[in-house]
Amino acid sequence: MKTTSIDKSYGGTQGVYINRSEACDCDMTFAVFVPPRAAEGKRPVLWYLSGLTCTHANVMDKGEYRRLAAELGLIVVCPDTSPRGDHVPDEPDNWQFGKGAGFYVDATEPPFSANYRMYSYITDELPRLLAAEFPVDMDRQGIFGHSMGGHGAITIALKNPDRFRSCSAFAPISHPSVSGWSKPALRKYLGADENTWRAYDTCSLIEDGHRFPELLVDQGTADSFLEDGLRPDELRQACEAAGIPLRLRMQEGYGHSYFFISTFMDDHLRWHAQRLEN
């Protein structure tokens, strides 16, 4: 692991690091905020997964999480959204696929299967590195994210309910198998058999029996991707049918940007802290 920067913030440290990923066969960048209370012992860890076109830096620069994370004693981890490098296959003119758009899947279709293994990177490789290098309590983990990252957070939590104590999302892609901006990506990463997509689709996972104790989702009513891309009503219906408590808050007038995310970031941090401390 290589440290690229360390800055003091709210008594803690905001660091940016690079590791050579075996899962993605490239160098991967990630950010970690460590609160001052980590000097007293291991702290709960909260994963934030970013959306399409983003890197680790978007939430780090615009998410406004450090003040309250320091107060609550939360370690916040912000990974990148895809593999990177000149050798990584890409579609440079397509912002919904390739670099910046890994969709947190393990691709099975060549040439993408060689690098686009974000699910394994997030659930296996990076946690092992964090446990070795940072004062994290791996028995107290939460996960949240935005848009494509909200999709990633909920699907990962549904498939790993024994690992994560809490899960929330900002404007998640709730049903990527049918959404206009994610269906083409799943086909390229996972192949033409849509049954294989179900393992990376929140609504499908719930239909197939996966469960999580409770979810918090914030969604802006002025989000331009609301109807076709995000489909929160379908998430609501899936959770109701399965008996999963879902707190879906439709936030009047808010869009899809970090103006929206930063407004409700404190609510999400407190949601996770309550569940990670108990």
Side-chain angles (χ1 to χ4, degrees):
M1 186 181 75
K2 175 184 177 182
T3 301
T4 64
S5 67
I6 289 282
D7 291 285
K8 188 170 183 178
S9 181
Y10 294 100
T13 57
Q14 177 65 71
V16 178
Y17 309 90
I18 297 175
N19 74 296
R20 179 67 186 183
S21 169
E22 294 182 3
C24 299
D25 191 25
C26 65
D27 288 344
M28 294 291 288
T29 303
F30 62 97
V32 180
F33 175 73
V34 178
R37 287 168 61 185
E40 304 167 6
K42 293 183 177 181
R43 299 303 306 163
V45 57
L46 181 56
W47 297 77
Y48 179 91
L49 305 185
S50 290
L52 288 164
T53 76
C54 291
T55 70
H56 70 284
N58 294 74
V59 68
M60 187 179 74
D61 293 342
K62 298 181 287 186
E64 301 181 18
Y65 59 81
R66 277 175 291 273
R67 177 193 57 79
L68 189 57
E71 178 183 323
L72 297 172
L74 295 173
I75 292 176
V76 181
V77 180
C78 308
D80 202 350
T81 56
S82 78
R84 306 281 178 173
D86 293 340
H87 70 291
V88 174
D90 188 23
E91 292 184 3
D93 296 328
N94 184 359
W95 64 274
Q96 297 173 342
F97 183 76
K99 293 178 186 177
F103 278 92
Y104 303 101
V105 306
D106 277 355
T108 56
E109 295 297 298
F112 310 106
S113 55
N115 303 102
Y116 287 84
R117 299 184 56 79
M118 289 299 295
Y119 180 83
S120 290
Y121 177 69
I122 296 296
T123 62
D124 180 35
E125 185 175 17
L126 191 53
R128 286 189 281 110
L129 180 63
L130 288 173
E133 300 288 345
F134 296 92
V136 292
D137 183 348
M138 300 303 280
D139 291 328
R140 292 188 289 169
Q141 296 186 64
I143 191 166
F144 68 150
H146 170 232
S147 193
M148 178 185 73
H151 137 78
I154 299 176
T155 57
I156 288 171
L158 284 168
K159 290 192 285 187
N160 299 274
D162 295 334
R163 176 180 298 187
F164 296 99
R165 293 192 185 183
S166 57
C167 179
S168 71
F170 302 98
I173 304 174
S174 298
H175 204 173
S177 294
V178 299
S179 295
W181 63 355
S182 50
K183 189 173 182 178
L186 294 184
R187 181 176 291 109
K188 293 174 185 176
Y189 287 136
L190 302 174
D193 182 1
E194 296 186 11
N195 286 323
T196 65
W197 305 0
R198 299 182 70 83
Y200 299 104
D201 184 303
T202 292
C203 290
S204 297
L205 284 167
I206 292 172
E207 290 173 1
D208 292 344
H210 292 266
R211 297 292 182 264
F212 200 76
E214 57 183 339
L215 300 170
L216 168 65
V217 171
D218 275 316
Q219 172 64 63
T221 63
D223 192 319
S224 60
F225 304 110
L226 179 61
E227 298 300 329
D228 178 53
L230 305 173
R231 300 172 178 257
D233 284 341
E234 294 176 33
L235 174 61
R236 187 202 305 271
Q237 292 167 12
C239 287
E240 286 178 352
I244 298 174
L246 168 66
R247 188 178 183 188
L248 175 59
R249 308 193 305 182
M250 301 301 295
Q251 303 292 0
E252 186 65 32
Y254 283 91
H256 198 70
S257 74
Y258 272 89
F259 296 113
F260 158 62
I261 296 166
S262 61
T263 299
F264 300 102
M265 178 62 76
D266 282 7
D267 290 353
H268 284 246
L269 293 177
R270 290 192 176 96
W271 166 277
H272 288 278
Q274 290 171 356
R275 286 147 183 83
L276 295 177
E277 288 293 349
N278 295 330

